[in-house]
Amino acid sequence: MKAARFASKARAGLKSAARRIPSEHWRRTTLTPAPGGFDLALTLNSGQAFHWIPADGGFLGCIGQVPCLVRQLSDRIELFTRAAEGSAAIDAACAYFALDHDLNKIRSSFPSDPTIDAALEFSSGMRILRQPPWECLATFITSALKQVAHIAAISQTLRHRYGKRHVGPHGELFSYPAAETIAALSEAELRACALGFRAKNLLGAARAIAEGRLDLDELCKLPTDEAREALCGLPGVGPKIANCVLLFAYGRMEAIPIDVWIERILRRIYFRGMRNVTAQRLREFSTSYFGPFGGYLQQALFHHARTTRGALLK
DNA sequence: CTCCAGGTTCCGG
DNA sequence: CCGGAACATGGA
């Protein structure tokens, strides 16, 4: 099996593969996800995280403060972390990639209709990540009225200018700047990162966190509704972004972010031709119809609609 | 040039 | 509570 993989890489001409990664500093681990498979590229390109760099047959990036390279194997993933970081780095990766989520169980909880079936088929193997709360929150504050490519560009700029530099398997990698770091910047410095009107919001949120007015570590102890209310107290954070953070950082799989794409799907498929459908009504419907893992379904619908430019929406 | 992008906030019914 | 408008920036 290993020989077959090696031969396959050799045929593909990936001479760099793992061999250029100095084995005395970098530890290779293979990880097995819970049932349901794992599509790494799909997961990292589905609009949850925005900083992973395609390279060397996989993806380079930081999991919090842990630089790594991740590659897709047939039914598992291959992880390179700094040997000095030991098993803590591996634990961080398992949590980040949500390898404990049983996708079969999650999928079986969804209702079946043409829209949902198509989205699930299209998004097979996609996992909802468990991202570090602050970087998830900050990134989605900068996401308002921006395309995915722009969000990624802003994340990259902030990391390069103000994040911590880490030594990765193939050069330097940058973690997301801490709330305290951003709190010490000026609005003008943030606007210089192409943040536009979001600069004031990111700065205000960073200062709220840095001054201890909101403790992100405490939110995991709260019921989802209370955690959402707390997040919505931050500048630039409304129900949509709060739900993104609850879903993508805190593993609240019942949280359903309703963005422009999900709203189109709801209005054109499930409320077709109906008048006076309020945002409140959309929230109630999606919560009850999608079920307790609705956030997962939402992400499949979002990814399908966005990448097909709403093909199913007429 | 116009339109739109993983929204939130503020304002008048 | 609800609909509208303003808010920056860049790609299609």
Side-chain angles (χ1 to χ4, degrees):
Chain A
M1 193 64 100
K2 282 182 180 174
R5 270 207 307 275
F6 186 84
S8 169
K9 282 172 185 167
R11 278 198 304 277
L14 296 175
K15 293 173 186 170
S16 60
R19 283 177 292 164
R20 265 199 222 154
I21 302 173
S23 60
E24 65 271 29
H25 293 311
W26 293 90
R27 173 176 175 179
R28 176 184 178 278
T29 315
T30 58
L31 305 174
T32 305
F38 186 19
D39 190 323
L40 179 65
L42 174 61
T43 298
L44 296 182
N45 291 324
S46 66
Q48 303 180 55
F50 305 88
H51 66 287
W52 290 93
I53 304 164
D56 192 14
F59 294 88
L60 289 166
C62 286
I63 297 172
Q65 301 297 319
V66 176
C68 66
L69 167 67
V70 201
R71 289 203 195 103
Q72 178 86 54
L73 298 181
S74 58
D75 55 348
R76 302 198 292 176
I77 63 173
E78 181 182 42
L79 173 73
F80 291 89
T81 52
R82 292 186 63 78
E85 299 192 49
S87 61
I90 297 165
D91 294 343
C94 290
Y96 184 87
F97 291 109
L99 300 185
D100 56 306
H101 287 177
D102 184 336
L103 298 191
N104 292 339
K105 176 186 167 191
I106 290 169
R107 276 169 181 257
S108 66
S109 75
F110 298 140
S112 175
D113 68 38
T115 306
I116 289 173
D117 294 348
L120 292 178
E121 168 68 23
F122 193 78
S123 305
S124 177
M126 186 191 73
R127 284 172 185 270
I128 298 293
L129 302 170
R130 268 196 208 88
Q131 301 180 57
W134 164 247
E135 74 175 58
C136 182
L137 169 62
T139 300
F140 277 96
I141 286 174
T142 66
S143 79
L145 279 178
K146 277 287 180 191
Q147 291 186 353
V148 168
H150 296 158
I151 303 167
I154 290 170
S155 168
Q156 187 84 329
T157 301
L158 288 172
R159 286 169 184 270
H160 273 79
R161 290 192 188 176
Y162 302 114
K164 183 178 180 196
R165 191 185 74 88
H166 296 267
V167 177
H170 296 294
E172 57 191 10
L173 293 170
F174 293 84
S175 53
Y176 201 89
E180 291 75 11
T181 304
I182 291 180
L185 298 174
S186 67
E187 186 181 328
E189 287 172 307
L190 289 176
R191 279 185 178 261
C193 300
L195 280 179
F197 63 84
R198 303 155 197 83
K200 186 187 297 285
N201 293 332
L202 180 60
L203 184 58
R207 290 184 173 166
I209 302 300
E211 292 166 11
R213 304 208 320 272
L214 178 63
D215 186 346
L216 293 177
D217 293 330
E218 293 293 312
L219 292 188
C220 60
K221 303 171 187 170
L222 297 178
T224 298
D225 287 340
E226 292 178 29
R228 182 184 298 110
E229 196 174 347
L231 286 168
C232 286
L234 295 169
V237 180
K240 187 272 175 182
I241 289 175
N243 278 333
C244 284
V245 176
L246 290 169
L247 180 61
F248 301 137
Y250 290 96
R252 303 299 174 96
M253 292 187 262
E254 72 273 30
I256 300 173
I258 299 180
D259 75 310
V260 289
W261 284 108
I262 298 299
E263 179 159 353
R264 277 177 201 147
I265 292 169
L266 293 172
R267 289 187 185 280
R268 296 186 197 175
I269 304 285
Y270 300 103
F271 293 89
R272 177 180 287 272
M274 293 178 63
R275 297 282 173 183
N276 304 324
V277 180
T278 66
Q280 174 70 12
R281 182 83 185 86
L282 296 180
R283 280 195 290 268
E284 291 169 357
F285 170 79
S286 56
T287 298
S288 64
Y289 185 59
F290 291 2
F293 301 104
Y296 249 96
L297 179 51
Q298 170 275 153
Q299 190 63 11
L301 289 166
F302 167 80
H303 181 250
H304 184 221
R306 187 180 77 86
T307 57
T308 62
R309 296 177 195 165
L312 260 62
L313 300 176
K314 183 173 62 69

